[in-house]
Amino acid sequence: GSQAGGAREHMGAARAKPLFSQMLDAEGASPAQRARLRAHAQQLIRSGTERMTAGLEGLNGAVSSASLEDMRNAAAEVRQGTHQFEAGVAALAGLMEGSSPRLAAIRWFKEDLDLLPPANPAGSALGLSLFHGITMIVIAGSLGILVWTHVRRSKRASLLAERLTNVQPLVEPATREPMAESPQAVSMPRPSGAAELLPSKSNSWTGLLRVGRIFEETPSVRTLRLVDPQGAQIPFRFLPGQFLTVTVMVIGETLKRSYTIASSPTRPDYCEISVKREERGTVSNFLHHVHEADTLQVTAPSGIFTFIGDDANSVVLISGGVGITPMMSKLRYLTDRCWSGDIYFVHGCRSDDELIFAEELQYLARRYSNVHIHVAATEVKSTNWPYAKGFITRDTLLNAVPHIQNRRIHLCGPNPMLEAMRSTLADLGVPPGRIKSEVFIGRELPKPLGSGMGTAVSDAGSTAEVEMPATPVNAPDDRQVDAEVAVVTFARSRRTALLTPTKSVLEASEDVGVNIDYSCRVGVCGVCKVKLLAGTVSMEVEDGLTDEDRRDHLVLACQAKSSGDVSVDA
């Protein structure tokens, strides 16, 4: 029957006889024949064990997914493996005892069909036969391994979650000396009682948020506090330093801009963005004309320019202009969590009336002894300016941050400032591995010919818009006269577009109406990932790609450029 069929030698040739059929025919077998039969029995034991293990693993997964069909299939696999294992053990036991192979086979068939009277041979326990005892031991061992693996995985997941949550409360000392970070990073404990900080998957939420409050920070910068329209907590979680993307419709055109979330994740009832109004900025001007109770379409969160205090006993936050916004999110988060490490906040601005969050910076410095604020403005009109005048220089950093070469450093601001800071920090002996930076002003994204505007998008999640000379529609583009022109094929849409060496795949897709979603347009968020089907591309920024993405031949459409023909899945 089906049970006898389960005792087949699965690893042999397709037409080989079952093991017990061979044993029935092996009366008076020679030593060589008995050796072959023993080898077959041992193989049957191994394959039965593998089948039981696979069935138990499938059963564990089926129980987790609550799939009845999978449970039945996995249980059947365990039964078949058990039967196979028992058959091999029975055959091997008969052969090793010196019995006739034929008699051993007949005994197995009788036992398998329950034709033998029950017995409790010497050495057996609880009335179990040797075969059933060994089988139960193997099954119990396999189940134990599965349980141990599950516990280990759960423990690793718990440890990961614990790294992003608070561990124990700290008491801030009344007075303290500046503490230099040792070359070996030290893990700083964080207070308990705060909400779990597990960020949402990148760009996992899109929906409407209501403008709950508007704060006029400076004559050109306003902060929008965004809340859930129904009064609940905001529907996504973010890390300090991440950004969101706003989508607006202006004169019939859909535009997206990314802005750093300046508020702290510890305040989940709202998130804030601070927007600088540019004279020719389409979206920034739009956001400077919204009112409280208006709604905005938002996609969030994005970005990897984050810091939550792990594995460091101090941090230096250096920013310029509106690049202050991710630093404020980190500063607010660390002080809300009562992080005990030293925080050196160094900021440069053009004039004293352009210092955003001026009152809050002074308040935090007074309230927290581990917060050290250093600001420099190139133009100062006020007679009560409490900070430095001029630019952030080498001497500024030496005076503001003791033992700077041993500290964790974050940089955010216009690219010229970042280049100057990197050079200065290198001169001060700061290893490049201790510096994490994001550019506030990125490359210009030209509008169609005839437009007088273009946009420069921030790596840090903030957007500034800059004026560009208008190009007459009929004017030849001298820069492209001798340029090699390739073709990009959008396989799914069945469209093609011209691809000059300076044009990205995303820009080419917009030329022919192929919809590739995007957000930051500077290679950070990863929203515009597409699969490269043919050809090769170069990408100036690849922060939005993981190692797995690269193995899967994914590229960032906003960064992908090529002088040869390419094909993408879009």
Side-chain angles (χ1 to χ4, degrees):
S2 61
Q3 286 183 320
R8 299 188 178 205
E9 168 44 290
H10 291 277
M11 302 302 291
R15 297 185 180 180
K17 286 184 178 181
L19 174 62
F20 282 88
S21 295
Q22 297 179 48
M23 293 177 68
L24 288 172
D25 296 338
E27 186 65 28
S30 66
Q33 287 177 310
R34 295 177 71 91
R36 284 196 296 271
L37 291 174
R38 282 198 301 271
H40 288 178
Q42 291 167 345
Q43 178 58 43
L44 200 59
I45 291 172
R46 285 194 295 270
S47 59
T49 303
E50 292 171 357
R51 197 165 182 177
M52 283 189 292
T53 302
L56 286 169
E57 291 177 350
L59 189 60
N60 184 50
V63 170
S64 300
S65 62
S67 171
L68 294 177
E69 183 65 24
D70 290 346
M71 289 181 193
R72 285 193 289 268
N73 293 338
E77 188 73 6
V78 172
R79 287 195 298 272
Q80 292 296 331
T82 301
H83 192 275
Q84 207 170 315
F85 176 84
E86 288 181 337
V89 171
L92 187 62
L95 292 167
M96 296 185 69
E97 287 171 359
S99 303
S100 162
R102 180 180 178 84
L103 292 177
I106 292 173
R107 179 177 178 81
W108 158 248
F109 281 122
K110 287 183 178 180
E111 187 175 83
D112 188 50
L113 296 175
D114 291 330
L115 297 179
L116 293 177
N120 186 17
S124 67
L126 302 177
L128 295 176
S129 68
L130 171 65
F131 315 126
H132 287 87
I134 295 176
T135 301
M136 292 183 67
I137 291 172
V138 171
I139 292 175
S142 301
L143 185 59
I145 291 173
L146 288 175
V147 171
W148 178 80
T149 302
H150 177 72
V151 170
R152 289 281 296 173
R153 288 176 178 172
S154 300
K155 188 174 181 180
R156 288 199 335 239
S158 299
L159 289 174
L160 178 61
E162 187 177 341
R163 288 188 62 198
L164 297 175
T165 55
N166 296 319
V167 179
Q168 61 184 11
L170 289 180
V171 177
E172 182 179 286
T175 60
R176 58 182 291 156
E177 295 296 326
M179 179 174 57
E181 184 178 338
S182 66
Q184 297 294 326
V186 179
S187 227
M188 295 299 295
R190 286 160 287 159
S192 60
E196 187 180 60
L197 189 67
L198 295 175
S200 299
K201 185 178 178 181
S202 182
N203 295 294
S204 59
W205 183 84
T206 296
L208 295 178
L209 294 181
R210 179 170 57 86
V211 180
R213 287 287 184 272
I214 297 176
F215 306 98
E216 303 297 341
E217 307 287 359
T218 71
S220 62
V221 177
R222 62 167 17 188
T223 293
L224 305 181
R225 175 171 292 183
L226 305 177
V227 298
D228 182 81
Q230 306 303 320
Q233 293 185 348
I234 57 173
F236 60 87
R237 297 182 301 275
F238 64 96
L239 294 175
Q242 289 192 297
F243 61 90
L244 56 77
T245 300
V246 177
T247 302
V248 300
M249 179 73 72
V250 182
I251 318 177
E253 184 179 5
T254 301
L255 300 174
K256 297 183 180 183
R257 299 291 185 270
S258 298
Y259 297 92
T260 303
I261 303 172
S263 55
S264 169
T266 54
R267 308 192 181 189
D269 290 334
Y270 63 86
C271 63
E272 293 180 344
I273 59 174
S274 297
V275 182
K276 182 178 181 180
R277 183 182 65 246
E278 300 292 340
E279 182 181 355
R280 303 294 298 275
T282 305
V283 178
S284 67
N285 273 283
F286 177 91
L287 294 178
H288 270 259
H289 286 85
V290 301
H291 301 89
E292 293 182 358
D294 287 347
T295 57
L296 295 173
Q297 181 177 327
V298 170
T299 299
S302 298
I304 58 174
F305 186 54
T306 61
F307 182 76
I308 59 173
D310 279 2
D311 301 325
N313 61 15
S314 68
V315 66
V316 183
L317 306 175
I318 305 175
S319 59
V322 191
I324 194 175
T325 50
M327 306 310 190
M328 282 303 298
S329 180
K330 296 168 188 179
L331 177 61
R332 289 163 167 167
Y333 169 80
L334 295 173
T335 52
D336 277 357
R337 290 289 182 93
C338 295
W339 190 66
S340 65
D342 281 302
I343 306 169
Y344 296 93
F345 196 97
V346 183
H347 179 69
C349 54
R350 183 176 301 171
S351 62
D352 54 350
D353 60 357
E354 291 185 6
L355 175 58
I356 314 170
F357 315 119
E359 295 83 1
E360 184 177 0
L361 290 173
Q362 293 183 19
Y363 167 80
L364 292 174
R366 288 196 304 269
R367 191 169 183 83
Y368 297 92
S369 61
N370 61 323
V371 174
H372 315 281
I373 305 295
H374 301 272
V375 178
T378 54
E379 300 175 8
V380 177
K381 303 173 184 176
S382 172
T383 57
N384 299 320
W385 178 246
Y387 304 113
K389 299 179 182 179
F391 296 97
I392 300 175
T393 64
R394 182 180 187 277
D395 289 340
T396 304
L397 295 179
L398 278 176
N399 294 330
V401 187
H403 309 287
I404 191 171
Q405 69 276 9
N406 293 327
R407 302 187 187 276
R408 189 80 59 85
I409 297 175
H410 282 214
L411 297 174
C412 184
N415 193 55
M417 173 201 167
L418 295 193
E419 292 299 327
M421 284 295 100
R422 291 191 189 99
S423 176
T424 300
L425 291 171
D427 184 52
L428 292 174
V430 179
R434 290 192 180 273
I435 302 172
K436 188 174 184 178
S437 63
E438 284 201 331
V439 182
F440 174 65
I441 300 295
R443 70 185 53 78
E444 293 178 351
L445 303 174
K447 302 281 283 183
L449 293 180
S451 168
M453 298 200 37
T455 15
V457 183
S458 156
D459 282 332
S462 301
T463 301
E465 296 178 331
V466 297
E467 184 177 354
M468 292 173 56
T471 305
V473 176
N474 297 325
D477 189 344
D478 294 333
R479 294 168 300 173
Q480 298 180 5
V481 170
D482 298 321
E484 181 182 354
V485 178
V487 174
V488 54
T489 300
F490 301 100
R492 200 159 8 104
S493 303
R494 298 183 181 180
R495 297 185 186 181
T496 60
L498 296 180
L499 188 65
T500 64
T502 59
K503 179 176 288 188
S504 70
V505 169
L506 178 60
E507 292 166 341
S509 73
E510 293 170 335
D511 291 343
V512 294
V514 174
N515 182 32
I516 296 178
D517 202 9
Y518 67 89
S519 178
C520 72
R521 296 189 77 121
V522 291
V524 175
C525 68
V527 174
C528 66
K529 287 186 286 193
V530 294
K531 188 166 187 175
L532 182 65
L533 302 176
T536 58
V537 299
S538 61
M539 292 177 286
E540 187 176 345
V541 180
E542 301 183 38
D543 292 348
L545 293 177
T546 64
D547 290 339
E548 184 179 357
D549 291 336
R550 294 181 178 90
R551 286 193 297 268
D552 292 339
H553 305 291
L554 296 180
V555 299
L556 299 171
C558 72
Q559 297 293 301
K561 297 179 181 180
S562 179
S563 57
D565 294 346
V566 296
S567 176
V568 297
D569 182 23

